Amino acid sequence: MKIYTKTGDGGTTGLLYGGRVPKDSVQVELNGAVDEAQAHVGVVRAHASGELAEICRELELDLWILMAEVATQTGKRDHLVPGKTLVTESMVAHLEELIDQFSARFAPPKEFVVPGEEVAAAFLDVSRTVVRRAERCSLGFVREAPDSFVQVYLNRLSDLLWTLARWSEGASLTARQAKHA
């Protein structure tokens, strides 16, 4: 099987459950930003271990679900399966639980954060900015699918990534302090 199909050479791309849209459509732009965010989260996972790596893998899988929903024409949304190809309210609630859980582990910064204190945190911040772009792209999509949780999920995901970055910086600082004590 060849990786190239030539079906996109005319400037369109195929959707889940059929149909084609221009490659500069809202759906494709949104999925491109989410795909980029997922790749950045994968970089975090490659540099992380333990709990952070597990959460990153879970987020990457969630983003596949989100991309499946976005890659479906409005008229075929009835084909989507909650939690498999459709973002659910419970997926958003899970992100909120993680935000609360990790926020309780560190004191919030009292000033603006300058990314780059620690590798995983820096990559989390890059991931967060890409997710924010995806969220902005999602506004056109959710106008066509007002029952979708895509925009809300992306909003909470960016909050979670910020939280994980601050937690990761604190965990790294604690480890460095213990090493030098």
Side-chain angles (χ1 to χ4, degrees), residues 24-142:
D24 62 354
S25 73
V26 169
Q27 287 170 281
V28 176
E29 286 292 328
L30 173 54
N31 264 353
V34 173
D35 188 29
E36 185 181 346
Q38 184 188 45
H40 284 292
V41 172
V43 172
V44 175
R45 184 167 60 94
H47 284 84
S49 60
E51 191 174 23
L52 182 56
E54 290 172 29
I55 290 169
C56 287
R57 176 144 173 80
E58 179 183 319
L59 295 175
E60 288 178 277
L61 295 174
D62 276 2
L63 290 173
W64 277 116
I65 294 167
L66 189 145
M67 286 190 282
E69 178 177 347
V70 171
T72 302
Q73 289 181 325
T74 306
K76 299 198 176 184
R77 287 182 60 78
D78 61 333
H79 289 65
L80 298 174
V81 178
K84 295 196 183 294
T85 53
L86 180 73
V87 176
T88 64
E89 191 170 15
S90 65
M91 291 169 66
V92 173
H94 181 63
L95 294 181
E96 292 171 350
E97 291 167 7
L98 288 171
I99 293 166
D100 293 343
Q101 175 188 343
F102 281 88
S103 292
R105 296 183 187 186
F106 65 91
K110 294 181 180 2
E111 54 194 36
F112 283 107
V113 173
V114 178
E117 293 299 318
E118 186 263 335
V119 173
F123 283 126
L124 285 162
D125 280 317
V126 170
S127 301
R128 174 186 51 79
T129 65
V130 176
V131 169
R132 285 282 191 214
R133 178 165 31 91
E135 181 187 4
R136 292 188 303 272
C137 290
S138 77
L139 298 178
F141 173 77
V142 297

Side-chain angles (χ1 to χ4, degrees), residues 52 102 105-109 113 117-122 124 162-178:
L52 182 56
F102 281 88
R105 296 183 187 186
F106 65 91
V113 173
E117 293 299 318
E118 186 263 335
V119 173
L124 285 162
W162 182 90
T163 302
L164 291 172
R166 305 300 67 83
W167 169 76
S168 183
E169 287 172 343
S172 178
L173 177 62
T174 301
R176 284 194 308 267
Q177 288 170 340

